[in-house]
Amino acid sequence: MINIFFSQEYENHDTGNHPESIERIKVVNNLINDVYSKHNFIEPTIADKKIISFVHDLEYVNSIYDSIPNSGFTYFDPDTIASPNSLKSYLLAVGGSVDAVNYILDNKNKGVFFCAHRPPGHHAESNKAMGFGVFNNVAISAQYAQNSGKFKKILIVDFDVHHGNGTQHIFENNPNIYYASSHQFPFYPGTGSFNEVGVGNIFNCPLPSDCDSSSFKSLFKKNIVDKIDAVFDLIYFSAGFDAHKLDPLASINLEDDDFYWVTKIILEKFANNVPIISVLEGGYDMKGLYHGLNNHLKALVEYSDE
Ligand SMILES: [Zn+2]
């Protein structure tokens, strides 16, 4: 049994004609209702400014609240758009990611969580909206978990096709939060080279354009799975599905079941009965998103049932 944070509210974060669209969450909701309806659905709560400020500058947080338009769109950058109902989505996405930690701390169950939300957050820097996202959901949740004092070492695995510059920058001096990312490189946002290693806690796995399944698997294993030597008591996935071969935004050619493989190999090596929080990032082809996510969730369900 897995726990799924889910809200209809994400269908109100209107971005106009944009790849990070309302359609994406409809596809995710369809998948969850088609295949995972027997699992535990939870409504996320609204995060407050204090929690968001664990990783974002308060001045920046206030500026986001103040920038939400009464009508039409606000552009934080050419890619990152807010409309009148967007703030609620931002706060629920952070809220669900943090609620998952509270569930684990309350020991309500073994704790495998998927946060079905939008917008993505891994590009959001401590003081800057970027790449469709405003608040860094995974980073806020991981910092909240660390602040609880209940977790010694936390791993974040990001298999979105883009490098999570925001997450890396937020944690690059934190020896107890590891960040591992596979991503097309060179590519947006420009970061993510091998030599960005933080304090020994950053593991980048750049992927060449047109990389296929078998090259992906060998690079991911060599640069992430085999390289990381630590024991973790909480694992996050920044789960993006834009490395799928159908995705229009990038040029990596993963198949549906590669998302099962990448989830499974991380769980097999690093997850010794520890809680898992998976947070939705990108994925802009509707079929690729549906089937990639289905494969990722399948591996999470197997782990939760072990
Ligand atoms: Zn992405």
Side-chain angles (χ1 to χ4, degrees), residues 1-170:
M1 173 82 73
I2 63 169
N3 304 283
I4 299 173
F5 282 97
F6 164 94
S7 172
Q8 220 61 52
E9 184 64 33
Y10 298 121
E11 295 188 16
N12 298 325
H13 168 43
D14 183 9
T15 50
N17 182 19
H18 187 282
E20 205 294 286
S21 63
I22 291 168
E23 194 57 30
R24 295 183 66 238
I25 203 72
K26 288 186 176 167
V27 163
V28 170
N29 291 349
N30 285 344
L31 169 67
I32 287 166
N33 286 311
D34 291 350
V35 186
Y36 298 93
S37 59
K38 293 205 178 73
H39 291 266
N40 187 30
F41 285 67
I42 311 170
E43 274 282 333
T45 61
I46 295 269
D48 63 27
K49 279 186 187 175
K50 192 175 151 228
I51 284 174
I52 298 169
S53 307
F54 284 177
V55 309
H56 292 286
D57 299 346
L58 185 58
E59 203 180 320
Y60 166 73
V61 178
N62 286 330
S63 78
I64 296 293
Y65 278 64
D66 295 343
S67 307
I68 303 298
N70 291 322
S71 63
F73 297 109
T74 294
Y75 289 80
F76 297 113
D77 72 16
D79 286 330
T80 311
I81 302 169
S83 56
N85 294 315
S86 297
L87 185 63
K88 199 162 177 198
S89 275
Y90 301 158
L91 301 180
L92 286 170
V94 175
S97 311
V98 169
D99 290 345
V101 177
N102 286 327
Y103 263 71
I104 294 161
L105 294 173
D106 293 347
N107 216 0
K108 285 188 180 146
N109 58 36
K110 178 178 170 184
V112 177
F113 297 84
F114 176 64
C115 304
H117 65 211
R118 60 186 281 268
H122 69 157
H123 296 300
E125 299 274 2
S126 58
N127 59 0
K128 193 175 166 199
M130 232 181 114
F132 315 162
V134 164
F135 299 135
N136 195 316
N137 308 306
V138 161
I140 295 166
S141 177
Q143 189 62 62
Y144 180 84
Q146 189 179 51
N147 291 1
S148 77
K150 295 281 163 47
F151 304 97
K152 288 196 193 83
K153 253 191 168 54
I154 297 170
L155 172 64
I156 302 168
V157 176
D158 184 338
F159 57 77
D160 188 280
V161 82
H162 303 98
H163 182 245
N165 56 291
T167 313
Q168 175 174 301
H169 289 148
I170 288 164

Side-chain angles (χ1 to χ4, degrees), residues 133-251:
V134 164
F135 299 135
N136 195 316
N137 308 306
V138 161
I140 295 166
S141 177
Q143 189 62 62
Y144 180 84
Q146 189 179 51
N147 291 1
S148 77
K150 295 281 163 47
F151 304 97
K152 288 196 193 83
K153 253 191 168 54
I154 297 170
L155 172 64
I156 302 168
V157 176
D158 184 338
F159 57 77
D160 188 280
V161 82
H162 303 98
H163 182 245
N165 56 291
T167 313
Q168 175 174 301
H169 289 148
I170 288 164
F171 294 127
E172 64 194 353
N173 294 312
N174 185 333
N176 293 318
I177 299 184
Y178 281 38
Y179 175 70
S181 172
S182 58
H183 44 270
Q184 187 172 331
F185 186 87
F187 197 50
Y188 181 89
T191 50
S193 73
F194 273 127
N195 53 20
E196 296 161 29
V197 296
V199 288
N201 63 327
I202 304 293
F203 295 83
N204 282 313
C205 175
L207 305 171
S209 176
D210 291 329
C211 180
D212 64 6
S213 285
S214 67
S215 321
F216 168 75
K217 286 178 183 173
S218 66
L219 289 168
F220 191 90
K221 199 166 171 302
K222 182 171 146 218
N223 295 309
I224 292 180
V225 180
D226 294 347
K227 233 184 204 177
I228 298 177
D229 183 21
V231 174
F232 301 99
D233 41 21
L234 174 60
I235 297 174
Y236 285 86
F237 287 100
S238 255
F241 300 90
D242 40 10
H244 193 281
K245 65 180 179 185
L246 295 175
D247 200 275
L249 297 198
S251 317

